[in-house]
Amino acid sequence: NAGVTQTPKFRVLKTGQSMTLLCAQDMNHEYMYWYRQDPGMGLRLIHYSVGEGTTAKGEVPDGYNVSRLKKQNFLLGLESAAPSQTSVYFCASTEYPGELFFGEGSRLTVL
Amino acid sequence: QQQVKQSPQSLIVQKGGISIINCAYENTAFDYFPWYQQFPGKGPALLIAIRPDVSEKKEGRFTISFNKSAKQFSLHIMDSQPGDSATYFCAASINSGNTPLVFGKGTRLSVIA
């Protein structure tokens, strides 16, 4: 099993550009999450989904949008990238809240 | 508002020593307390977890101690090894609901020979 797969793994953007991060899980999990990790800040929740077609805001949702059109996929979009969005992004999924399975991360640099 | 406070931010331990990382929480509705381990360049992975109906849980060299009245829990790594060098995150959630995990800010552990 691949588990949780994130694409792309690395990306460099210029300020104002847009992009989408894709998260795919093959465990048939209901819950999916997007976190960002910054030095000294831990893991901060951006958006999450409790099932296909649902999304909810987390701790730091501004500047990001998400969609969960298919149960196995959770997309994170940046409409107009800013340098403050330079970070490592992690997607995670779980069958029930608590035991998360994480992807290996997507490192984004915004110049 | 940070709901889970983790300390220390970084920790250096001699090989064979005991590593101790502490966390405190505020929300008394939390009923699930996991610890995640993250190696450089990888995503976090569940290490061990505890529920508040027990005061201690042990898995190999890793032990969680839980103090419900103090709203604190800690991770002890016995006989620490260089391979344990990683970032450790405590977390908490209300497991019966749809509320996501709340993470501490992490502790970077370095085990030196």
Side-chain angles (χ1 to χ4, degrees):
Chain A
N1 280 344
V4 178
T5 303
Q6 294 182 227
T7 52
K9 289 183 169 47
F10 301 94
R11 184 74 186 269
V12 178
L13 287 177
K14 294 182 179 179
T15 297
Q17 287 185 320
S18 63
M19 75 159 296
T20 300
L21 297 176
L22 171 62
C23 176
Q25 53 96 2
D26 62 2
M27 296 171 282
N28 201 35
H29 286 167
E30 287 290 339
Y31 301 84
M32 297 188 73
Y33 308 84
W34 276 107
Y35 289 90
R36 61 177 289 174
Q37 183 175 22
D38 303 288
M41 300 298 291
L43 292 159
R44 293 184 293 170
L45 183 64
I46 305 171
H47 286 282
Y48 64 102
S49 169
V50 300
E52 182 178 314
T54 74
T55 63
K57 294 181 179 180
E59 179 185 358
V60 288
D62 293 343
Y64 305 95
N65 57 76
V66 288
S67 65
R68 182 97 182 269
L69 298 180
K70 294 182 178 181
K71 185 177 183 179
Q72 64 268 35
N73 296 337
F74 196 28
L75 279 64
L76 178 70
L78 286 72
E79 291 185 345
S80 180
S84 61
Q85 294 177 304
T86 294
S87 186
V88 181
Y89 292 86
F90 286 99
C91 177
S93 72
T94 185
E95 180 56 30
Y96 55 88
E99 299 181 35
L100 298 182
F101 293 84
F102 283 85
E104 294 210 333
S106 297
R107 184 175 296 273
L108 174 65
T109 301
V110 182
L111 302 176
Chain B
Q1 180 182 0
Q2 184 187 7
Q3 298 186 53
V4 179
K5 294 184 179 181
Q6 182 172 349
S7 62
Q9 188 173 1
S10 63
L11 182 61
I12 299 175
V13 174
Q14 291 276 354
K15 179 182 176 181
I18 302 174
S19 303
I20 301 175
I21 304 170
N22 300 300
C23 284
Y25 63 96
E26 299 170 358
N27 189 345
T28 56
F30 287 149
D31 59 2
Y32 177 70
F33 303 90
W35 286 87
Y36 283 78
Q37 180 187 54
Q38 182 184 30
F39 293 107
K42 301 293 185 181
L46 180 65
L47 180 64
I48 187 173
I50 196 169
R51 298 188 187 278
D53 53 344
V54 297
S55 60
E56 185 175 281
K57 183 174 182 179
K58 183 176 181 180
E59 291 185 1
R61 296 183 294 107
F62 299 90
T63 299
I64 299 178
S65 296
F66 184 79
N67 185 330
K68 187 174 182 178
S69 61
K71 293 187 287 185
Q72 295 176 346
F73 58 110
S74 60
L75 177 68
H76 292 65
I77 306 174
M78 311 300 288
D79 186 26
S80 299
Q81 299 297 312
D84 297 329
S85 297
T87 299
Y88 292 82
F89 294 95
C90 64
S93 73
I94 305 170
N95 203 228
S96 58
N98 288 334
T99 56
L101 271 177
V102 177
F103 284 90
K105 291 190 174 183
T107 296
R108 177 173 290 183
L109 172 65
S110 298
V111 181
I112 57 176

